[in-house]
Amino acid sequence: MEKHHINALKEIVGEENVLTSAEDLYCYSYDATPGHAHMPDAVVSPANTTETSKILKLANENRIPVYTRGSGTNLSAGCVPTKGGIVLLMTRLNQILEVDLENLVAVAGPGVVVADLNKEVASFGLIYPPDPGTVATATLGGTVAENAGGLRGLKYGVSKHYIMGLEVVLANGDIINTGGKNVKDVSGYDMTKLFTGSEGTLCVITKIIAKLVPAPEAKKAMMAIFKDLDNAGKAVSAIIAAKIIPATLEIMDNATIRTVEDYAKVGLPLDAEAVLLIEVDGNPIVVEQEAAKVMEALKANHADFVQIAKDDAERDKLWAARRAALPALAKLRPTTYVEDATVPRNKVPDFLREVSEIAKRNNVTIGTFGHAGDGNMHPTIVCDIRQPEEMERVYKAMDEMFKAAIALNGTLSGEHGIGLGKLPWMEQQHGTVAMNAMKSIKRALDPNLILNPGKLVGEC
Amino acid sequence: MSETITAKDINEQDKALLSDLQDALANCMKCGNCMEVCPVYKEVGKEAAVARGKLSLMEGVLKGAIPLSAAFDTAMSKCVSCKACTAKCPCGVPADELILRGRQAAVKARGLHPIKKKVFALLKSRHLFDFSLRMAGIFGPITFKKIPGKMAALARFPMPGMDYKRVTAPFASTPLRSQYPEVIKVDRPTMRVGFFTGCTINYIYTDVGQSVINVLKENNIEVTMPSMQHCCGTPVYMSGDVDSAKILAKHNIETFDSYNFDYIVSACGSCTEAFRIEFPHLFHDDPKMSAMTEKLAKKTYEISEFLIDIVKIDKTKLGPVDVTVTMHDPCHMARGIKVTKQPREVLKSIPGLKFVEMKAPDRCCGSGGSFSLGNYELSRKINDKKIVDIASTNADTVVTSCGTCRMHLTDGLFQNNMNQDALHVIQVLDRSYKAGKK
């Protein structure tokens, strides 16, 4: 980037909203993904859609790469400015513009932190369900761009199920609106769905129309410990077969159990092959009935220990083990890769077994926990990125893990996105023809390839 | 100083300073959870303001990717040391300590900020420091205009390092330790306690010191204020000047050790933390000092903690105090020495007192000790949020357990045209003892 470009950007957003010092640029060279970092040439924070449009027009005319960023909590290197250029920081567009109680929608800027939106709508007895682990820091724009999920995915779905409309700026600076507040809307291509999960490669999101749902009146949490992984898998299937869709249905594997126990001393048996955490929510009467059926299914499938939370304090205790999973694993070693390979629900035990085999074979530490109900696993690899020999084994294990997920008819990413982290396996999952179709979409909407270039679909 | 000091230069200068830093920094997985709780980041909104950014900058310097520049120095200084990031971190990275290490590196390479340099040079000489602050008390009324009914004053004309419209507390005309004999006798004492006054209580908030003495006397405790005690060193330590901090620490340790007290009491979270955590940390590799330091650390208590856990005060002696109180937990109480229950128990023991909890009572008030000297506008913005939380409780009094918090809260209440009193917990207890005698 040249000096006159920087000056032009300063003209658009004001001097104080363009960062160019080496120190500031260094702070935007990374996101939450290990091993990927590159300095941008400028960090630009627009205040509104008009400024965003002007920035993109300038970047497009001058072929300057643009990397859109919210809070930078991405786990697939989606925010890393790998080719320099502009980091487009959207955090100033942080207004909740409307909470429409008649249509049950919220309209908000992309810079709103997801937890803040939930705080706002909670006073009306509503929730915006997608709740990724970073819900207290991640921006709405970032979670929509990544199509983020969370712990309640099984019952409530992921971001794409809640995004009804968007205002976006295209690569050339044009502003378009997609969707709206209509519950039913089949007019034209579903551009809202296309942009949701496009990882900053097709447009820059400047406004979001999100669906809200009534907050559940009651919750009931249960925990079950299994000495046999297959029984845990059968219990999961049995719960769903009993036509119960829990809000949360979490699993932890033996490696995670041992790590959590060592760290938090919550009383888990070290020889357990799986722990399930189940939470049903909704109408209080239905919740009681469903909880009873879940307990039945757990016992019928030979759970070695079951517990149901009688009150909030007990609920917190049951959740403590699951909450400790990532911190406990992360504390083992300096570098932590949280992956999100996902398989069909009935393949969860097979996948967990594969992962522990892969860990053993490559002498790598992997603890797997995740959302058993929707098959979204989090194999978490802990290592030290400064040790090249170890990293070779880590990359090999990662390769085998993703291939295993694909072989089980799974997918590379359940909720973190592809970015750069999972790009090497995209062709294996989708095939050349499908990849070419995706690349054509990219080239049609961003002919100069300035938006998050090289990510998601790779070089075009 | 040149802008091109690199990791290589520092490494050559002081390898020990950086040797263990690499591992500690590598443990940050850059999840960014610290963004949720960092009061500075909430206002500034830029990555360099939050722990993740600061630790990355340190990593960048160590890799040689960025220079140890003035901008690095500024980034490190933009931290209130509230420890909220450390408490939040899922990887257990002690970010607040690492940022201090970053400051130390900056001090080594670039020297101290000129204002701080002057103040700290003064601080190192106990005589000179004592003399200056006494003079401030005597001549203070010329430079500061007192605000009626409050322990607060406005500067009459601009002063270096001070914002003109800022409200501070007036320096006492007679410091606390000159108002009393060194040993304050009681009949048949149950124990002998050394009172580490700290600077704000000795030179500014003597009212707090008087309350501490009154309350301890009520409990038949002999109080000694060693005349040779000096600043605990936290302000210099926080600024990255470890050598000066060690001089002050050693002086205080030797002074207090010579008295052989049953307990050491302080009425400030940071001073208590200095004795209990910082001093042992500073001398952990010095066997001679270490034993003495550990011994003192074990018998040092913050006043509310001391009264509840050790003295176990007789609550029947307390008389009614008709106030509605809310409480601000100083960072170094909540996350430093982890004392939050005892001050509440003190308040709840007082008949007639209505206690209302504010939202997020342990969120930083923005003072950050000397942080607010160099970053007044920023510290005001952080404080304004605290003032909103205080207002929403409808309390008429806000109490805390730290002099600089009290000063910053007082300023915030004044700037927001609010009339609440800002006091130390112990002052309300003192009132209650007095009411009990009526």
Side-chain angles (χ1 to χ4, degrees):
Chain A
M1 264 171 91
E2 289 165 41
K3 184 87 188 119
H4 66 96
H5 296 140
I6 303 280
N7 289 339
L9 290 167
K10 285 180 179 169
E11 284 283 310
I12 297 169
V13 296
E15 182 111 24
E16 69 279 16
N17 294 308
V18 180
L19 306 178
T20 52
S21 77
E23 293 78 8
D24 274 324
L25 297 178
Y26 194 79
C27 286
Y28 291 91
S29 64
Y30 54 80
D31 59 17
T33 323
H36 296 279
H38 194 281
M39 299 254 280
D41 296 308
V43 178
V44 186
S45 316
N48 51 44
T49 309
T50 314
E51 288 182 7
T52 309
S53 163
K54 286 181 184 163
I55 296 165
L56 285 183
K57 195 163 183 292
L58 176 95
N60 194 45
E61 280 163 7
N62 296 284
R63 311 284 197 269
I64 300 166
V66 176
Y67 300 88
T68 315
R69 183 182 175 106
S71 295
T73 55
N74 189 291
L75 288 168
S76 52
C79 306
V80 180
T82 33
K83 297 181 181 181
I86 296 170
V87 163
L88 189 62
L89 193 58
M90 301 304 285
T91 46
R92 288 175 70 211
L93 279 77
N94 61 351
Q95 288 87 25
I96 297 172
L97 303 164
E98 190 188 354
V99 178
D100 178 345
L101 295 176
E102 291 175 327
N103 290 305
L104 290 187
V105 299
V107 183
V112 172
V113 170
V114 181
D116 291 342
L117 175 65
N118 262 311
K119 257 180 242 161
E120 178 77 17
V121 302
S123 55
F124 304 107
L126 298 169
I127 54 168
Y128 171 70
D131 63 339
T134 49
V135 67
T137 49
T139 60
L140 191 59
T143 55
V144 172
E146 295 296 322
N147 196 1
L151 287 166
R152 303 187 278 204
L154 172 58
K155 179 172 180 177
Y156 291 98
V158 298
S159 296
K160 70 178 172 191
H161 301 114
Y162 293 89
I163 305 309
M164 301 176 69
L166 294 171
E167 177 192 78
V168 305
V169 180
L170 297 176
N172 63 3
D174 285 351
I175 300 163
I176 64 168
N177 285 282
T178 74
K181 290 183 179 178
N182 298 297
V183 174
K184 292 181 167 180
D185 186 351
V186 295
S187 174
Y189 292 132
D190 192 343
M191 301 296 274
T192 309
K193 284 268 194 299
L194 175 64
F195 292 141
T196 301
S198 63
E199 301 187 11
T201 62
L202 299 181
C203 65
V204 176
I205 298 168
T206 48
K207 199 190 285 177
I208 294 146
I209 304 175
K211 181 164 91 174
L212 304 173
V213 298
E217 290 168 53
K219 289 176 183 170
K220 198 96 199 169
M222 289 148 278
M223 186 185 70
I225 299 172
F226 291 87
K227 294 265 165 79
D228 182 338
L229 180 59
D230 281 323
N231 287 339
K234 283 176 196 157
V236 170
S237 301
I239 291 167
I240 305 293
K243 299 180 196 67
I244 293 165
I245 309 292
T248 302
L249 210 179
E250 296 287 297
I251 193 166
M252 298 196 307
D253 76 346
N254 175 263
T256 310
I257 291 167
R258 277 185 287 122
T259 311
V260 165
E261 190 49 34
D262 188 44
Y263 161 74
K265 306 269 183 287
V266 284
L268 298 175
L270 296 178
D271 59 344
E273 283 194 349
V275 167
L276 293 182
L277 176 76
I278 305 116
E279 187 162 287
V280 289
D281 70 1
N283 176 297
I285 298 163
V286 177
V287 163
E288 284 303 324
Q289 291 168 347
E290 290 192 342
K293 282 190 192 169
V294 169
M295 291 296 276
E296 253 171 58
L298 293 171
K299 285 174 195 159
N301 287 285
H302 315 290
D304 296 273
F305 175 82
V306 288
Q307 197 186 342
I308 185 158
K310 284 186 215 68
D311 49 35
D312 282 353
E314 281 196 16
R315 175 179 180 261
D316 276 350
K317 254 191 205 158
L318 294 190
W319 270 90
R322 170 61 181 86
R323 285 203 187 103
L326 182 58
L329 285 164
K331 280 190 180 86
L332 288 179
R333 301 291 307 279
T335 310
T336 307
Y337 287 90
V338 188
E339 295 301 351
D340 64 326
T342 301
V343 293
R345 187 185 296 136
N346 63 345
K347 298 283 171 56
V348 167
D350 294 347
F351 183 64
L352 290 183
R353 229 175 258 117
E354 286 260 17
V355 172
S356 69
E357 279 298 310
I358 290 166
K360 230 177 275 164
R361 201 159 56 228
N362 293 291
N363 188 21
V364 168
T365 309
I366 309 180
T368 307
F369 56 92
H371 322 307
D374 51 38
N376 183 189
M377 293 294 105
H378 291 306
T380 300
I381 308 178
V382 294
C383 51
D384 188 341
I385 202 161
R386 298 167 299 176
Q387 311 292 336
E389 185 277 328
E390 181 184 13
M391 290 315 288
E392 250 174 62
R393 286 183 279 119
V394 166
Y395 295 134
K396 189 159 168 284
M398 235 182 243
D399 180 60
E400 292 174 13
M401 207 167 68
F402 285 120
K403 283 176 179 160
I406 293 170
L408 289 166
N409 289 321
T411 178
L412 297 172
S413 176
E415 55 186 6
H416 297 169
I418 298 300
L420 279 180
K422 280 152 272 185
L423 188 58
W425 298 275
M426 274 295 272
E427 188 127 351
Q428 286 180 54
Q429 181 181 343
H430 298 282
T432 312
V433 179
M435 284 310 291
N436 283 341
M438 285 193 238
K439 285 179 184 177
S440 322
I441 294 173
K442 164 74 178 167
R443 279 193 296 260
L445 286 170
D446 179 17
N448 292 336
L449 305 173
I450 61 159
L451 292 173
N452 212 1
K455 312 270 184 75
L456 180 59
V457 290
E459 300 300 338
C460 288
Chain B
M1 191 160 264
S2 142
E3 288 284 333
T4 52
I5 297 163
T6 62
K8 205 170 141 239
D9 300 330
I10 318 164
N11 267 314
E12 277 159 14
Q13 273 185 39
D14 193 349
K15 277 189 177 133
L17 187 68
L18 298 166
S19 58
D20 58 330
L21 219 54
Q22 304 240 14
D23 284 337
L25 290 171
N27 284 331
C28 168
M29 65 172 183
K30 298 199 171 65
C31 65
N33 282 8
C34 41
M35 288 184 286
E36 182 192 350
V37 292
C38 175
V40 177
Y41 176 74
K42 291 260 182 215
E43 302 304 329
V44 178
K46 305 219 157 72
E47 186 78 19
V50 77
R52 176 173 72 168
K54 289 182 166 76
L55 301 192
S56 296
L57 284 174
M58 289 163 73
E59 241 175 2
V61 167
L62 288 176
K63 278 185 196 155
I66 48 167
L68 195 60
S69 58
F72 174 85
D73 203 350
T74 307
M76 291 304 139
S77 74
K78 292 260 186 296
C79 167
V80 284
S81 309
C82 72
K83 299 170 181 284
C85 49
T86 301
K88 185 83 202 170
C89 179
C91 302
V93 175
D96 61 319
E97 286 171 30
L98 292 172
I99 292 165
L100 289 185
R101 297 288 299 274
R103 287 182 188 172
Q104 290 167 25
V107 166
K108 284 258 174 192
R110 306 181 52 81
L112 266 180
H113 188 279
I115 293 176
K116 286 191 171 173
K117 204 175 201 167
K118 277 188 193 135
V119 175
F120 293 163
L122 189 67
L123 210 50
K124 268 193 264 187
S125 157
R126 205 187 62 85
H127 279 295
L128 212 56
F129 183 62
D130 188 54
F131 176 77
S132 308
L133 297 194
R134 277 167 185 275
M135 289 301 110
I138 293 165
F139 295 109
I142 299 169
T143 44
F144 286 96
K145 180 169 71 193
K146 210 170 163 325
I147 297 166
K150 309 269 179 200
M151 275 295 262
L154 267 170
R156 289 188 196 270
F157 44 81
M159 291 174 65
M162 274 278 299
D163 204 279
Y164 185 51
K165 59 181 189 296
R166 183 175 187 184
V167 171
T168 54
F171 283 100
S173 53
T174 312
L176 181 76
R177 295 198 296 268
S178 305
Q179 296 175 11
Y180 293 86
E182 188 181 35
V183 183
I184 301 158
K185 299 269 185 202
V186 290
D187 286 341
R188 282 177 293 157
T190 53
M191 54 179 103
R192 286 176 61 242
V193 158
F195 179 16
F196 183 76
T197 63
C199 303
T200 50
I201 289 175
N202 190 47
Y203 296 106
I204 299 171
Y205 288 132
T206 51
D207 53 351
V208 176
Q210 289 158 3
S211 290
V212 169
I213 294 164
N214 292 344
V215 168
L216 291 174
K217 274 165 73 184
E218 287 296 331
N219 286 283
N220 277 327
I221 295 166
E222 181 183 296
V223 184
T224 305
M225 293 188 281
S227 59
M228 292 301 285
Q229 63 178 291
H230 191 14
C231 169
C232 66
T234 296
V236 280
Y237 181 66
M238 290 292 168
S239 297
D241 184 358
V242 178
D243 294 339
S244 301
K246 273 189 157 173
I247 293 170
L248 293 169
K250 186 164 184 285
H251 174 87
N252 282 313
I253 293 163
E254 286 169 351
T255 300
F256 275 81
D257 187 67
S258 68
Y259 286 80
N260 204 18
F261 293 120
D262 296 326
Y263 295 99
I264 298 164
V265 168
S266 146
C268 160
S270 307
C271 292
T272 312
E273 190 185 9
F275 270 76
R276 206 186 267 178
I277 300 168
E278 257 168 51
F279 292 177
H281 186 69
L282 283 173
F283 296 109
H284 71 281
D285 53 358
D286 177 343
K288 193 174 139 267
M289 283 302 293
S290 173
M292 208 192 285
T293 309
E294 292 290 346
K295 194 173 79 187
L296 292 186
K298 282 200 186 76
K299 55 181 176 185
T300 301
Y301 288 84
E302 192 277 330
I303 186 70
S304 294
E305 184 191 23
F306 182 65
L307 293 170
I308 298 295
D309 293 352
I310 303 297
V311 180
K312 300 189 172 61
I313 51 170
D314 177 3
K315 291 171 188 172
T316 57
K317 286 170 84 179
L318 299 176
V321 182
D322 184 23
V323 282
T324 305
V325 175
T326 189
M327 193 173 107
H328 161 67
D329 292 295
C331 299
H332 292 249
M333 289 283 282
R335 288 171 294 275
I337 57 171
K338 300 189 171 64
V339 172
T340 53
K341 282 189 193 128
Q342 295 90 333
R344 283 177 175 74
E345 201 175 325
V346 165
L347 294 172
K348 288 172 184 173
S349 309
I350 299 172
L353 183 146
K354 191 178 161 214
F355 181 73
V356 193
E357 201 73 80
M358 73 169 87
K359 205 176 107 193
D362 63 349
R363 194 172 47 75
C364 179
C365 72
S367 164
S370 56
F371 171 84
S372 58
L373 277 180
N375 304 280
Y376 180 63
E377 289 305 325
L378 183 53
S379 72
R380 267 271 37 84
K381 281 188 194 165
I382 298 170
N383 188 263
D384 284 341
K385 293 207 167 111
K386 181 60 79 178
I387 299 298
V388 169
D389 291 343
I390 292 170
S392 66
T393 63
N394 292 319
D396 48 47
T397 304
V398 52
V399 297
T400 187
S401 305
C402 161
T404 50
C405 289
R406 182 184 175 196
M407 202 184 294
H408 205 46
L409 291 171
T410 304
D411 180 44
L413 292 165
F414 180 83
Q415 305 296 348
N416 287 281
N417 302 312
M418 283 164 57
N419 237 333
Q420 283 86 340
D421 267 333
L423 299 174
H424 191 290
V425 176
I426 200 71
Q427 292 177 278
V428 188
L429 183 66
D430 186 19
R431 268 196 228 167
S432 179
Y433 273 112
K434 289 194 172 104
K437 285 181 187 157
K438 278 177 194 163

